[in-house]
Amino acid sequence: MTGQKLPLAEWKRELRAEKAALRDSLSLDQRTSWSSLACSHASEWLRQEGASSFMAYVSFRSELDTRPLITAAWAQARKVVLPRVIQASGRMSLHAVASWEDLAPGAYGIQEPITGAIELPCPEGVPDVVFVPGLAFDSRGGRLGYGRGYYDRLRATWEAELTESARPPVWAGLAYGQQLVQEVPMDDHDAYMDMLITEDGIIHCRKERELWS
């Protein structure tokens, strides 16, 4: 039994294992090359859109490497926001980061803003764009994360606190092309990405969802 024939939780669990193994099997040269291409697409899109700030993640293990994107943003005087995971509360705090020296290993061994870094408040600290990692994505913007819900809780908090007149951030998945699947299993509370960026280019997921509806 696979796909839609499985209970949703089991479908997610199998797909996580499959895509984690696939991503881990990629050679360092492949990951480096594809990460560079995806980051180049993202940087060019940021330039075209005139985005002045974005939130990203610092890649861990075999995740698409965001270092080229972050380094380019600093060179272009674009504000970079990175999260700190607070395991006790299940939330993330956000911090503006200006160099790699502002980071240290944090939760799960991931590089995070150093302890004591000033937390950005909501809504003032909400960036123009949020780049999100994941294990699998589909063209509609469906995302399969790691099951801990940090990004879902952050998004829900922003949606509750931002005023109607405030412009919400664009949510963009970053992934290797091999992480795309025909359909990601989604619960009713799971949020969709607005766009997806891989080494092959940009998928505008809102338009794809309109085609599917």
Side-chain angles (χ1 to χ4, degrees):
M1 293 175 66
T2 58
Q4 294 92 329
K5 296 180 181 179
L6 286 174
L8 194 63
E10 189 174 349
W11 184 9
K12 285 187 175 185
R13 185 166 55 251
E14 285 197 0
L15 188 56
R16 282 192 179 101
E18 175 190 335
K19 288 304 180 182
L22 175 62
R23 201 177 64 184
D24 290 345
S25 72
L26 297 174
S27 71
L28 178 59
D29 285 345
Q30 284 177 313
R31 296 201 304 267
T32 299
S33 175
W34 291 345
S35 294
S36 179
L37 286 169
C39 288
S40 178
H41 294 315
S43 292
E44 176 60 18
W45 179 81
L46 289 168
R47 186 194 65 79
Q48 291 176 355
E49 294 296 313
S52 62
S53 64
F54 66 80
M55 173 182 165
Y57 63 94
V58 178
S59 52
F60 185 59
R61 294 177 179 164
S62 60
E63 286 180 334
L64 188 144
D65 189 357
T66 57
R67 287 177 296 176
L69 174 63
I70 293 170
T71 300
W74 286 331
Q76 297 157 3
R78 187 170 282 120
K79 182 178 180 180
V80 176
V81 176
L82 297 177
R84 275 179 56 85
V85 168
I86 305 171
Q87 290 176 281
S89 62
R91 60 180 288 268
M92 294 192 295
S93 60
L94 304 186
H95 309 266
V97 175
S99 74
W100 296 114
E101 285 68 39
D102 293 339
L103 303 177
Y108 309 109
I110 301 170
Q111 291 288 311
E112 298 181 343
I114 57 175
T115 302
I118 297 174
E119 181 175 355
L120 299 174
C122 178
E124 293 85 354
V126 176
D128 295 331
V129 183
V130 181
F131 291 108
V132 183
L135 286 165
F137 295 87
D138 65 36
S139 63
R140 298 177 303 160
R143 169 184 175 264
L144 183 66
Y146 301 97
R148 301 188 182 103
Y150 286 104
Y151 284 94
D152 292 333
R153 282 188 288 275
L154 178 66
R155 187 167 183 169
T157 297
W158 285 349
E159 289 176 350
E161 296 185 5
L162 287 175
T163 63
E164 290 185 4
S165 60
R167 182 180 180 182
V170 174
W171 290 78
L174 281 176
Y176 306 115
Q178 292 191 8
Q179 292 177 253
L180 270 65
V181 297
Q182 184 175 356
E183 182 181 359
V184 168
M186 299 284 283
D187 285 299
D188 291 340
H189 63 268
D190 289 334
Y192 287 84
M193 300 291 101
D194 298 311
M195 58 190 296
L196 178 61
I197 303 176
T198 75
E199 72 274 10
D200 298 317
I202 296 175
I203 299 173
H204 294 280
C205 302
R206 291 178 183 173
K207 294 180 180 178
E208 290 290 330
R209 287 200 296 277
E210 290 173 0
L211 293 175
W212 279 51
S213 60

